[in-house]
Amino acid sequence: MPRVEEFDAFYASTSENVLRVAYAVTGDRAVARDATIDAYRHAWRDWDKIRDQEPHRYVRVEAWKAQAVTRGTHPLRRRHEEDSDTELLDALAELSPDDRRLLVLLTIGATDLEAAAREIGVGDEEAIELVTTAITALEQSTGQSIDQLERRLTGLGEITSQLPMPEAAELRDRATRGHRFNTIAVVAASILAIVLGGAVLTEGDALSQLPAQSYRQQLGAERPDLVLDAQRLSTDNLLTTAQVSDLTGDASTWTIDETDQDADAAEPLTICAEERFATQDPLKVFVRTFDAAPAPSATPADQPADQPAAPATTERVAQSIEVARDPAAAAAAYQRATAWFAQCEVPRLQLTGTYRATGSLGDVLLMRLVEHGQTDRTLTVGLGSSGTVTSTVVHETDAAEPPTIDDFAAMVSASFQQICSDSGGECDDDLTVTPADPPPLAEDPGFLGVIDLPAITGISSVWGRAEAEDTATNPAATACDLADFGAAGGTASTRIFLLPEAQGLAKTFGLVETVGTFETAEAATAFVDQVQASVNSCPQNNLAASVVEASTFGEVSDFRGATWTLTLQVESGDPVTVRSAIVQRGASVAQVLFTPSGATDMPAETFAAVAQRATERLAYAVPAG
């Protein structure tokens, strides 16, 4: 079936259900409609990537993200729904976002437990607990059984069926032209009202953006016969328990869970991976997974005897070696695998560090990610490719102290060095690990992404983002600097991040980033110097402002930045605290502003880490002109 006809048929057969699910989750028909349309626009733009990878799940997730940001940016989050089942909508709204979403997916979403759990980013057991809690709460608040409630949920379709949806052709056209939600102005106005307009001033006082080879790493020196040499690889090239145990120093705790060579297997080996293998139609595959015996958690000496012990920590390692049919296919597989982890959309997952391991295995990309929850789970990933071979190693643990990057790199090196040798590489024994820029994001790579943002203590909601858009003002500026990129000769655009499902936060809560580029690095340097001078001298020129904390990193224009915690006295009410940063990378500059809500904040050192990641992302900013 032609691509257009295939998408149109998908849209016609699934949009009614996606819209109904979105409505049950949001309780707002207009928001649900807009989010559903936006989700299908994204699906059309990504159709070649998702058409064979659960496209129905993709649009539900995109609709969830779109409605979250849209609802969060409007002061009136719930519109009137008097002609609908308001009792049910109100009862659903009382549930936590994860409970509500899971319940809706398992009822009118016609999704099984495993798929629904994966969609919201929890394990099966946790999903069972969440949906049990949700059903109990909903039954108690309405006085009806789940069977009766499911019929009422289905009845919401009477409302959504009346909503006008665009024809598929119109939707595809708008997607191609890049029409987006414009959510920046509302939040920017709220933030500026406090940070700028409300301050009392005292008078006088982005993988496709890069060349195809840019992020391709090599396991060893390239040779013309490398394609043929790769035929010699076997399961002997996979990690052993002895090599894996070097991470913990105790070989007795590790066992091989599985070793296979089934190229038709479909189940992903780890979270973030969209498929089991990144290589399309591989010639050979080798997979091995390891499990460590659960390690009991330490029990505090003063813990009451009747208090349950903390759950044992779990740890596993997975490795795949994939042999493609030609080097181009291997290069594409490496790019695909890199994107899986670098752009992972698992809720509450943060990319905390990126490194290069060079030496015995050429260059290999290492990434560390943390899935935030009641118990954080850390993923450490190693990716390498050479000739027709791509290999991935992933270590997962919920232990408080994951292995060091150096120890993980040594384990990866032990395996990759053998692959290098058997596939025709020339390898030495040295190993050097250094920090590196993260791989680029698919959209707006010069900006921070959701994957760069930390969890906020006490908040389980997921960060949402608006699209980066050009703005006449700079909502990341403060009353101390009034930074104006345009007046300084630069061009700039802004992106806003929110926790839209969080309850009880001030409307001004959120993180704003403005990214600008200048004609020269010298012009950018002058702009950053002026901002720093203005903020540092602000308490002398503005009696309503004070600098609580300040820090800097880097000393050269290629990579530098400064962060501040500022307290601003407003005309009425308590002082407002904000965290601000200005960072530079050559001719590109980013200004970041985080506005807390009372005790809902991020520590100064965490904000400084966000500022450094913003500096790293500037490597992909689009040059001026």
Side-chain angles (χ1 to χ4, degrees):
M1 181 184 295
R3 179 173 180 267
V4 170
E5 292 181 11
E6 183 182 52
F7 175 81
D8 290 358
F10 167 71
Y11 175 61
S13 64
T14 61
S15 58
E16 181 179 350
N17 178 260
V18 173
L19 178 58
R20 187 187 305 163
V21 167
Y23 181 46
V25 169
T26 64
D28 185 322
R29 70 190 72 185
V31 167
R33 176 182 178 273
D34 288 346
T36 301
I37 292 172
D38 196 58
Y40 280 97
R41 289 175 184 165
H42 280 239
W44 172 244
R45 288 194 293 269
D46 292 341
W47 188 243
D48 288 338
K49 295 189 295 184
I50 70 168
R51 62 200 301 181
D52 298 321
Q53 301 178 23
E54 298 184 277
H56 197 165
R57 173 175 174 266
Y58 175 92
V59 291
R60 284 197 305 262
V61 171
E62 289 298 309
W64 166 256
K65 293 189 292 185
Q67 65 83 24
V69 173
T70 303
R71 292 179 71 210
T73 57
H74 288 279
L76 301 176
R77 298 190 179 193
R78 288 285 303 278
R79 295 176 182 159
H80 297 295
E81 296 288 340
E82 288 83 356
D83 59 338
S84 186
D85 191 342
T86 54
E87 181 192 31
L88 177 61
L89 293 176
D90 289 342
L92 287 168
E94 291 299 317
L95 301 176
S96 71
D98 282 351
D99 287 3
R100 180 170 67 252
R101 190 177 173 202
L102 186 61
L103 178 64
V104 170
L105 287 173
L106 290 172
T107 52
I108 59 176
T111 307
D112 62 36
L113 178 67
E114 182 179 358
R118 188 169 68 250
E119 190 162 320
I120 70 170
V122 299
D124 290 353
E125 292 185 4
E126 184 177 353
I128 293 173
E129 294 180 6
L130 290 176
V131 75
T132 301
T133 301
I135 290 172
T136 300
L138 208 57
E139 288 179 334
Q140 290 177 348
S141 64
T142 62
Q144 292 188 313
S145 69
I146 186 60
D147 291 336
Q148 293 171 305
L149 292 168
E150 187 168 359
R151 287 193 290 273
R152 290 174 68 180
L153 282 165
T154 302
L156 295 177
E158 295 180 7
I159 298 296
T160 56
S161 64
Q162 302 172 29
L163 300 177
M165 294 291 285
E167 295 294 329
E170 178 186 352
L171 186 144
R172 285 187 280 101
D173 180 62
R174 290 185 179 182
T176 302
R177 288 187 282 122
H179 285 196
R180 307 280 198 219
F181 286 122
N182 185 2
T183 60
I184 289 181
V186 177
V187 178
S190 298
I191 292 175
L192 287 173
I194 285 185
V195 178
L196 297 181
V200 182
L201 301 179
T202 305
E203 198 72 74
D205 290 339
L207 291 173
S208 58
Q209 310 290 330
L210 302 178
Q213 294 294 97
S214 297
Y215 256 80
R216 176 148 177 263
Q217 313 308 316
Q218 297 181 351
L219 299 177
E222 298 283 355
R223 282 175 36 178
D225 61 344
L226 196 56
V227 174
L228 296 177
D229 288 348
Q231 304 294 326
R232 296 171 10 201
L233 298 180
S234 70
T235 55
D236 291 339
N237 296 104
L238 293 165
L239 287 165
T240 65
T241 52
Q243 291 169 330
V244 172
S245 67
D246 287 341
L247 288 175
T248 60
D250 187 357
S252 64
T253 65
W254 286 95
T255 58
I256 293 176
D257 176 57
E258 176 188 23
T259 301
D260 75 58
Q261 303 178 55
D262 183 3
D264 295 324
E267 182 181 359
L269 290 171
T270 183
I271 65 169
C272 295
E274 298 176 6
E275 301 176 61
R276 192 172 183 85
F277 304 113
T279 305
Q280 301 296 307
D281 189 25
L283 189 64
K284 289 185 187 180
V285 295
F286 308 99
V287 171
R288 179 167 290 166
T289 57
F290 302 82
D291 284 319
S297 296
T299 302
D302 58 350
Q303 179 173 305
D306 59 349
Q307 183 175 325
T313 60
T314 61
E315 193 171 9
R316 70 185 295 266
V317 168
Q319 182 186 22
S320 67
I321 301 174
E322 307 171 24
V323 180
R325 296 183 181 275
D326 56 64
Y334 177 81
Q335 299 281 7
R336 189 175 298 114
T338 299
W340 286 349
F341 294 100
Q343 302 175 41
C344 186
E345 295 186 347
V346 170
R348 296 184 286 277
L349 187 82
Q350 181 187 8
L351 177 63
T352 59
T354 312
Y355 309 85
R356 303 276 186 158
T358 60
S360 62
L361 58 166
D363 287 348
V364 167
L365 178 64
L366 306 173
M367 288 180 279
R368 172 151 284 174
L369 304 102
V370 178
E371 184 182 10
H372 296 288
Q374 288 186 333
T375 300
D376 288 352
R377 187 160 188 83
T378 302
L379 277 73
T380 313
V381 183
L383 293 166
S385 182
S386 185
T388 58
V389 182
T390 301
S391 188
T392 305
V393 179
V394 179
H395 175 274
E396 300 180 34
T397 183
D398 54 12
E401 295 292 336
T404 67
I405 289 295
D406 286 343
D407 287 344
F408 177 77
M411 181 188 74
V412 172
S413 177
S415 172
F416 283 14
Q417 186 174 10
Q418 185 65 40
I419 298 173
C420 167
S421 176
D422 286 356
S423 61
E426 297 177 2
C427 311
D428 56 47
D429 297 327
D430 295 328
L431 178 66
T432 302
V433 180
T434 56
D437 291 332
L441 300 171
E443 295 183 5
D444 304 312
F447 280 85
L448 289 166
V450 169
I451 198 170
D452 298 318
L453 301 185
I456 302 297
T457 302
I459 302 293
S460 62
S461 297
V462 180
W463 284 102
R465 63 171 176 80
E467 300 288 346
E469 299 199 20
D470 296 339
T471 53
T473 59
N474 173 18
T478 73
C480 286
D481 59 82
L482 300 175
D484 187 334
F485 284 77
T491 59
S493 53
T494 295
R495 166 175 282 174
I496 291 177
F497 299 86
L498 306 166
L499 291 172
E501 286 293 327
Q503 302 295 317
L505 297 181
K507 293 176 183 178
T508 53
F509 176 89
L511 186 143
V512 188
E513 181 186 20
T514 298
V515 172
T517 53
F518 294 82
E519 290 293 337
T520 65
E522 290 75 17
T525 298
F527 178 73
V528 172
D529 287 346
Q530 179 58 52
V531 170
Q532 285 188 262
S534 297
V535 177
N536 289 334
S537 64
C538 192
Q540 288 76 46
N541 301 322
N542 178 5
L543 298 180
S546 60
V547 177
V548 180
E549 296 176 273
S551 66
T552 60
F553 59 87
E555 298 180 354
V556 296
S557 62
D558 285 342
F559 195 105
R560 66 163 180 156
T563 65
W564 301 271
T565 300
L566 305 173
T567 299
L568 305 171
Q569 182 64 53
V570 296
E571 293 181 352
S572 61
D574 297 329
V576 174
T577 297
V578 298
R579 301 193 188 278
S580 177
I582 189 81
V583 301
Q584 178 187 3
R585 191 153 185 174
S588 299
V589 175
Q591 188 168 20
V592 183
L593 177 70
F594 174 68
T595 308
S597 175
T600 305
D601 196 358
M602 68 173 72
E605 59 272 18
T606 301
F607 180 73
V610 172
Q612 293 196 47
R613 176 57 55 81
T615 317
E616 294 169 354
R617 293 290 183 199
L618 288 179
Y620 310 113
V622 178

